[in-house]
Amino acid sequence: MILAQLAHFASHTVSSSLAIFQEEGGTVSFSPIGLWNHMAWMARSVAIVLFIESIWSLAVMIDRYLYFSAARKQSREFAPKVAGALKDSKLEEAIKIADRNKKSHLAEVVTAGLQEFRVSQGMATEETIESSQRALERAEAIVHAKLKRGLSVLATIGSTAPFVGLFGTVVGILHAFDAIATQKTSGIGAVAGGISEALVTTAFGLLVAIPAVMAFNYFTGRVESFDVEMDNSSSELIDYFIKQSHKR
C-alpha cells in the first residue's frame, strides 16, 4: 500500500515537472532560425560581426593558399632552369626564365639581382656585386611583405573573435536576467532564451577564432620557409657573381 502511494506520488511529480518544463520552454526554439528570432538586437549585432569575420578569414585563407601553392610550384620549375642557364653563362636567358615565372618568390628575388648585374654589362666588379646584393635584399623585403599580406587579419580575428563572442555571452546573460525581472519568475523558460543566446555567441566566437589561429600559424611557417629559400638563392647568386669576377 505504501509502495503504491509512493509510486503514484513519484509519477505525479514527474508528470507535473515535465508539464511545467514544456509550458515554460515551449516558447523557446533551439533551431538556428528560432534562436535568431529570439535574440535581442545587440546579440544579433555580435552574430553579424562574427559572421563577417568568418567570411573575411576564409577569404584570406583561400587567397594565401592559392598564392603559396603557385609560388611553390613555379619555384620548383624555375630553380633548375635558371641554374642551368647561369652555369652556361647565359645571363639573358636566365632573366627570361625568371620573367616567365612571375608568381615564384625565388624568381622575383633572383631577377632583381640579375637585372642589377646586367646594368653593369656583366662586369663582375666589387661595386657590381655589392649593388646586386643590395638589390637582392630589397627584393627579399618586398616579397616578404607580399607573402605576409593578409596574415595580420587572421591574427586579429583569431585574437578578437573569442572576446566578441564573450561580449555576446554577457549580453545573453543580461537578457536572461531581464526576462526574469519582466516575467517575475525564475523558471527555466524565463532564462532559457537568454542562456541559449549567450552560449550560441560564445560557440560562434570560438568557431571563428580557432581556424583563424591555426591558419595563421600554418601560413607563418610557410613564410619562414620561403624566407630561407630566398636567402639561400641570394647567397648562391652572390657566390656566382664572385666566381665570375675571379674568372676575369
Side-chain angles (χ1 to χ4, degrees), residues 1-15:
M1 188 69 177
I2 296 175
L3 291 176
Q5 289 179 352
L6 289 174
H8 176 73
F9 176 76
S11 62
H12 177 73
T13 303
V14 172
S15 300

Side-chain angles (χ1 to χ4, degrees), residues 13-23:
T13 303
V14 172
S15 300
S16 300
S17 299
L18 290 174
I20 293 172
F21 180 80
Q22 291 174 354
E23 180 181 354

Side-chain angles (χ1 to χ4, degrees), residues 164-182:
V164 176
L166 182 61
F167 177 74
T169 302
V170 175
V171 171
I173 297 299
L174 292 175
H175 187 196
F177 282 110
D178 181 67
I180 293 175
T182 302

